[in-house]
Amino acid sequence: MRVHNPFRVAFVATLGVGLGLVFIGSIQTLSTILLYVGTALFLSLGLDPVVAWLERRKLPRWAAVLITILAVLAAFAGIILMVIPIIVQQIGQLVVAIEEIVSSGAWDDPVGVIQNWLGDVFPALNVDELWGYIEDWYAGLDVGAIGGEIGSSIIAIGGSILAGLAGAFIVLILTIYFTASTPSLKRSVYQLVPASKRARFIDLGEQITDSVGHYVIGQLSLGVINGVLSAIFLSIISAPFPAVLAVIAFFFSLIPLVGTLTGSTIIVLICLGLGSPTTALIAAIYYLIYMQIEAYVISPRIMGRAVAVPGAVVVIAALAGGALLGLLGALVAIPVAASLLIIYRQVVIPRQNER
């Protein structure tokens, strides 16, 4: 094929590549904002079935949205009020213990205390020679540089915490807005489709949004069941801080596939470290039994209505979502996979059968 105006073709191609690079750069720059928007949309679709249920009870939508948001805020406020007093109490106990040690004079000579402890615990160890190695190593350190790095790390951690709190507040505001305006947002999207195909698109759109909403509600239900049962059982066996451990069980149950296993492992280790081996063993047996019941009884009944996704697809989707977007990606991946399966089964396959 002969090119009549190579300069114009090259110029247009260069502009196209430039616009593509600008578009990719814009997406990277706005990645945090897009993540906030995506998270808020995901949460609003999860709250929409609750709002719809309240609307079927003859409540206006604004009242249903208000009740739903207040219930969610009350739940998180209750969790925070449950955990913070225990943390403050433990910090207070630590401060008192440190004050007792300082006031007793046991650490007036900390180097001597450590040397005596090493000599008592490891009688065969040459403490003086070991301490000489430690002093030589310390003398070679750039203490100022290490202190600067520690200070920078503390500032970075503090900035990350503030950024996380600000992001959570933004997501909350967007979630309230999206939840209140979900019908109008759906109508705006549906109007972009040609009228001849709009009815079919609306049907698929409603199935997809219902699938996402039921998935979020189902996952929250699993978390609540695990958290409540954990609080009851851990209180019965006198585990350390059962309320905090129940909150850990709740949040980790929100993570698909490995969440319950990971949370149970952390709880058992805490029982072992802060409690006793017997308590940890009883907790481990309980969670082994609970995970079997959850996998074969509770989860199929709750999630069966939410998303009908084969097990292999669930694993692949969760791994891919986690690799792309971390924890949020793993949470969103399964309803996204369910939505793609709906399109595949109801759009792609019928079209192929018509050929």
Side-chain angles (χ1 to χ4, degrees):
M1 183 179 67
R2 184 178 178 184
V3 179
H4 296 284
N5 195 334
F7 175 78
R8 184 173 63 184
V9 173
F11 181 73
V12 172
T14 304
L15 284 179
V17 173
L19 289 175
L21 294 175
V22 169
F23 179 73
I24 294 174
S26 300
I27 292 178
Q28 292 177 345
T29 303
L30 300 175
S31 59
T32 303
I33 297 176
L34 295 176
L35 184 62
Y36 291 159
V37 173
T39 305
L41 280 173
F42 181 71
L43 294 176
S44 65
L45 290 177
L47 296 177
D48 193 60
V50 179
V51 176
W53 182 82
L54 292 174
E55 284 185 299
R56 290 195 294 270
R57 299 302 183 272
K58 308 301 181 182
L59 283 176
R61 184 167 182 86
W62 67 267
V65 172
L66 181 62
I67 292 173
T68 303
I69 296 297
L70 289 177
V72 173
L73 293 178
F76 279 101
I79 292 173
I80 292 173
L81 293 176
M82 183 189 305
V83 174
I84 288 181
I86 297 176
I87 296 175
V88 172
Q89 179 185 4
Q90 294 303 303
I91 293 175
Q93 293 176 359
L94 177 62
V95 171
V96 170
I98 293 174
E99 289 178 349
E100 291 178 353
I101 293 174
V102 172
S103 62
S104 65
W107 283 89
D108 290 343
D109 181 18
V111 174
V113 170
I114 295 174
Q115 288 178 333
N116 293 332
W117 177 81
L118 288 172
D120 294 337
V121 176
F122 306 102
L125 182 66
N126 190 338
V127 177
D128 294 332
E129 184 178 354
L130 174 64
W131 206 257
Y133 285 129
I134 294 175
E135 290 178 345
D136 292 339
W137 171 77
Y138 179 77
L141 291 177
D142 188 352
V143 180
I146 295 176
E149 291 180 0
I150 294 175
S152 301
S153 301
I154 293 174
I155 294 174
I157 293 172
S160 299
I161 293 174
L162 292 177
L165 293 175
F169 180 75
I170 293 172
V171 169
L172 174 63
I173 299 300
L174 290 175
T175 301
I176 295 173
Y177 171 76
F178 289 147
T179 304
S181 58
T182 296
S184 60
L185 290 175
K186 287 182 179 179
R187 285 194 298 268
S188 300
V189 174
Y190 295 156
Q191 289 174 356
L192 297 175
V193 180
S196 59
K197 300 179 180 179
R198 190 172 298 164
R200 180 58 174 163
F201 184 84
I202 291 175
D203 180 50
L204 289 174
E206 293 298 327
Q207 290 185 49
I208 290 173
T209 54
D210 289 345
S211 175
V212 175
H214 291 149
Y215 168 78
V216 176
I217 295 297
Q219 204 68 34
L220 284 174
S221 301
L222 292 176
V224 170
I225 292 172
N226 192 8
V228 171
L229 293 179
S230 295
I232 296 172
F233 183 79
L234 294 174
S235 299
I236 293 173
I237 65 174
S238 299
F241 315 122
V244 177
L245 298 183
V247 173
I248 292 174
F250 166 74
F251 278 110
F252 274 92
S253 292
L254 302 180
I255 304 173
L257 298 179
V258 298
T260 303
L261 176 61
T262 306
S264 303
T265 303
I266 293 174
I267 291 172
V268 171
L269 292 176
I270 291 175
C271 291
L272 180 62
L274 301 180
S276 64
T278 303
T279 303
L281 179 61
I282 296 173
I285 294 173
Y286 163 76
Y287 280 109
L288 285 174
I289 297 173
Y290 173 78
M291 282 188 287
Q292 300 304 313
I293 296 175
E294 182 187 77
Y296 293 103
V297 178
I298 301 175
S299 184
R301 291 180 179 274
I302 293 178
M303 302 300 291
R305 185 187 170 198
V307 280
V309 183
V313 177
V314 170
V315 175
I316 295 172
L319 292 176
L324 291 174
L325 294 175
L327 177 59
L328 176 64
L331 294 174
V332 176
I334 296 177
V336 170
S339 304
L340 294 176
L341 280 178
I342 290 174
I343 297 173
Y344 171 75
R345 291 167 180 166
Q346 300 191 23
V347 177
V348 177
I349 291 180
R351 287 185 178 180
Q352 296 296 325
N353 291 335
E354 291 175 358
R355 291 184 177 181

